[in-house]
Amino acid sequence: IRVWWCSKRVIMGDNIMTYNGGCSVAMVGKDCVAIASDRRFGLRQQTLACDNERIFRINDRTFIALNGLGTDVETFIEKLCFRLNLYKFRESRDIAPRTLGSLVSNMLYEKRFGPYFVEPVIAGLEVDKATGAVTPFVTAQDLIGAPCFPGNFVVGGTCSESLYGMCESLWRPDMEPDDLFETVSQALLASLDRDCLSGWGAVVHVITPDSITTKTLKARMD
Amino acid sequence: RHYGRGKHTLRVASRANTHTHTTHKHKRMSFQPYQDNGGTGLAIAGPNYCVVAADTRLSTGYSILTRKSSKLITLGPKTVLASAGMQSDAIMLRKVLRMKSVTYEHEHGKPMGTTALGQLLANTLYGRRFFPYYTFNIVAGLDDEGVGAVYTYDAIGSGERVSHASQGSAQALIQPLLDNQVAHSNQTTEKRILSLDDAIALAKDAFTSASERDIYTGDTLQLLIITEEGIREEHIQL
């Protein structure tokens, strides 16, 4: 095991979380949420794909984006889908975003001393069964499942510092879906342009109670 | 050799099990010549103005040394230098630049312009290529035509003239905001030139956002606004 760990370090380099690159951001608006990510997949400085999907639709009201090591993103989403299918069988209903957050947190903490190198970003709409009121919800976690619930925006990935700076400046409360789309797009594109490991276009999903709008942005393709 | 019964044995030193080497492992004491005192600076160049801003927090590790330390220095009548990074190297750098610019003034009969100071800084920093000044600098002011000029450098003097720049601990947070708002990147609407008031408001917004997310940036914002009339100073609480 010791030899395997050493050789992994030689392959992956000093930071496993920046090996494949990529980033994502989720923002809260007025009765809507947006989640966006870039589309690059690479091996350190070499780019391999420009159509990598990092955001996964859980159901019509919940999306999850997984940043970090590509192989762990694939494995984790498959394991997550397995758990979600079981949930569907037992509960006969779609999972709520907050519950998904707890599930993901638990799955990550199970591997506390040998974690999945993924940092999830979750966005969704909580629907109150009694009143029908819709509350937008975002959460992000670290690789061992420690969540945060900031209420305005969450970021993750290699250019997270840049995304924090952009979102902190551009976000304001109660944005309509069109406004929210513009804000998320500008925040993401400006941050992508300053990060070598992210880029090659972006995907933005805007989720409202009635619709999901998906747009692909063409940024600097480099 | 072991004496005693069962688990509780008395181990007696004998020649067989005594270590014979005399050197013992100890932590290598080393002197770290550099430290990071944190802080951030930014500059925005306009058609007839230049805005330079820097916070006034000085830190070391997770502690604050002072909330009132300035990172901005006036090098010439129309030029300001902002230095983030290690404060003692920044102080030394200012002294060296001041000495050289005073010498220039005596030799040429006029004070140094912004472009000349920009080149002087690059050469001074590269002069210490193999034991660098741990400072991240921005030279900002009005060039000979009265147009705003901003020069940004790394620690060993690699620099270029740009329309906007940020350096320091919150550089990653502020730079994309400046790209988006000053250079109008990734926007399809028509680009507009920022007025002086817009540039000042942008600098204040950038710093308020950066202070939220970066622990080394905060306390007070010191703004120097360079125009044809001269250099005006403002202080804003963060």
Side-chain angles (χ1 to χ4, degrees):
Chain A
I1 293 171
R2 199 191 176 84
V3 173
W4 158 244
W5 183 247
C6 290
S7 65
K8 198 171 178 185
R9 275 185 81 102
V10 164
I11 295 165
M12 302 292 186
D14 56 353
N15 198 348
I16 280 177
M17 297 303 285
T18 60
Y19 186 65
N20 293 127
C23 63
S24 55
V25 57
M27 264 193 199
V28 160
K30 190 173 172 60
D31 295 337
C32 56
V33 277
I35 187 165
S37 81
D38 72 320
R39 307 197 74 190
R40 181 185 177 272
F41 176 79
L43 292 186
R44 296 222 196 132
Q45 305 307 119
Q46 167 79 51
T47 302
L48 292 180
C50 319
D51 57 358
N52 190 33
E53 288 292 327
R54 200 165 288 118
I55 303 180
F56 303 97
R57 183 187 147 276
I58 303 296
N59 57 53
D60 282 340
R61 293 252 163 87
T62 321
F63 278 68
I64 183 169
L66 293 169
N67 309 296
L69 193 63
T71 177
D72 281 354
V73 166
E74 278 191 37
T75 306
F76 190 79
I77 196 67
E78 285 174 8
K79 282 184 167 308
L80 184 61
C81 286
F82 173 81
R83 294 289 294 270
L84 289 169
N85 286 338
L86 284 178
Y87 184 92
K88 200 79 194 280
F89 279 129
R90 288 193 191 119
E91 307 263 332
S92 302
R93 61 187 177 108
D94 284 335
I95 194 167
R98 201 174 280 271
T99 318
L100 177 69
S102 299
L103 173 61
V104 166
S105 176
N106 185 250
M107 286 172 69
L108 290 172
Y109 198 78
E110 266 184 319
K111 302 287 180 191
R112 168 65 177 83
F113 298 107
Y116 289 114
F117 294 102
V118 294
E119 289 187 339
V121 161
I122 295 165
L125 295 174
E126 297 261 320
V127 181
D128 186 345
K129 271 231 156 69
T131 59
V134 157
T135 318
F137 172 81
V138 292
T139 181
Q141 302 169 14
D142 69 357
L143 75 176
I144 47 172
C148 67
F149 309 102
N152 45 7
F153 55 84
V154 287
V155 304
T158 49
C159 56
S160 53
E161 274 195 306
S162 299
L163 282 166
Y164 271 126
M166 285 305 290
C167 291
E168 197 66 55
S169 312
L170 298 184
W171 186 85
R172 52 192 196 287
D174 293 330
M175 281 188 280
E176 295 295 327
D178 290 333
D179 216 352
L180 183 65
F181 167 74
E182 286 299 329
T183 308
V184 160
S185 305
Q186 289 300 318
L188 185 64
L189 288 175
S191 307
L192 288 191
D193 287 349
R194 286 282 173 178
D195 182 18
C196 340
L197 300 175
S198 306
W200 286 98
V203 181
V204 186
H205 302 274
V206 179
I207 306 135
T208 63
D210 311 312
S211 63
I212 301 170
T213 313
T214 303
K215 291 189 187 167
T216 314
L217 308 174
K218 184 171 175 286
R220 290 176 57 105
M221 305 302 255
D222 62 357
Chain B
R1 282 184 206 129
H2 294 254
Y3 294 88
R5 269 180 279 190
K7 282 191 179 153
H8 304 285
T9 58
L10 180 70
R11 199 136 176 243
V12 173
S14 65
R15 290 184 80 192
N17 65 6
T18 309
H19 292 293
T20 51
H21 70 267
T22 49
T23 55
H24 61 286
K25 277 196 181 132
H26 64 278
K27 265 207 175 94
R28 264 203 14 226
M29 303 286 283
S30 65
F31 170 63
Q32 295 290 332
Y34 292 119
Q35 64 170 293
D36 187 2
N37 294 122
T40 315
L42 74 73
I44 301 169
N48 55 0
Y49 64 84
C50 198
V51 173
V52 195
D55 70 322
T56 58
R57 177 176 284 179
L58 198 73
S59 340
T60 177
Y62 288 118
S63 311
I64 296 177
L65 292 169
T66 176
R67 299 187 190 278
K68 298 178 193 169
S69 151
S70 173
K71 290 178 186 61
L72 302 176
I73 192 94
T74 311
L75 286 179
K78 295 270 163 67
T79 320
V80 169
L81 169 71
S83 299
M86 186 167 133
Q87 201 216 20
S88 58
D89 270 357
I91 291 172
M92 206 57 218
L93 181 64
R94 286 174 206 165
K95 281 186 187 172
V96 167
L97 289 176
R98 175 135 301 165
M99 174 193 75
K100 291 187 182 184
S101 67
V102 166
T103 311
Y104 178 104
E105 204 171 325
H106 286 150
E107 283 174 0
H108 293 81
K110 66 179 178 83
M112 278 182 97
T114 306
T115 24
L117 278 161
Q119 190 59 44
L120 177 67
L121 176 62
N123 292 347
T124 310
L125 291 172
Y126 197 81
R128 287 267 298 253
R129 167 67 178 81
F130 300 107
F131 183 18
Y133 288 105
Y134 193 83
T135 53
F136 301 96
N137 302 288
I138 303 174
V139 166
L142 297 181
D143 66 9
D144 301 321
E145 277 104 52
V147 178
V150 170
Y151 294 87
T152 183
Y153 303 89
D154 69 355
I156 48 174
S158 167
E160 58 169 344
R161 183 170 177 174
V162 290
S163 61
H164 58 279
S166 64
Q167 287 285 356
S169 56
Q171 179 188 17
L173 286 84
I174 295 178
Q175 189 66 44
L177 181 66
L178 296 182
D179 290 339
N180 189 258
Q181 298 293 316
V182 179
H184 219 253
S185 69
N186 295 119
Q187 284 173 273
T188 48
T189 51
E190 207 180 296
K191 181 177 174 175
R192 55 182 188 91
I193 309 288
L194 282 179
S195 68
L196 176 57
D197 293 328
D198 285 342
I200 295 171
L202 177 60
K204 290 181 188 176
D205 279 344
F207 265 93
T208 34
S209 304
S211 335
E212 293 277 323
R213 294 284 175 174
D214 179 33
I215 57 175
Y216 298 112
T217 305
D219 295 327
T220 323
L221 177 63
Q222 186 188 7
L223 267 165
L224 287 180
I225 301 130
I226 308 149
T227 51
E228 273 307 315
E229 285 97 59
I231 304 181
R232 191 178 97 227
E233 189 166 338
E234 272 186 40
H235 282 261
I236 297 111
Q237 280 296 319
L238 289 174

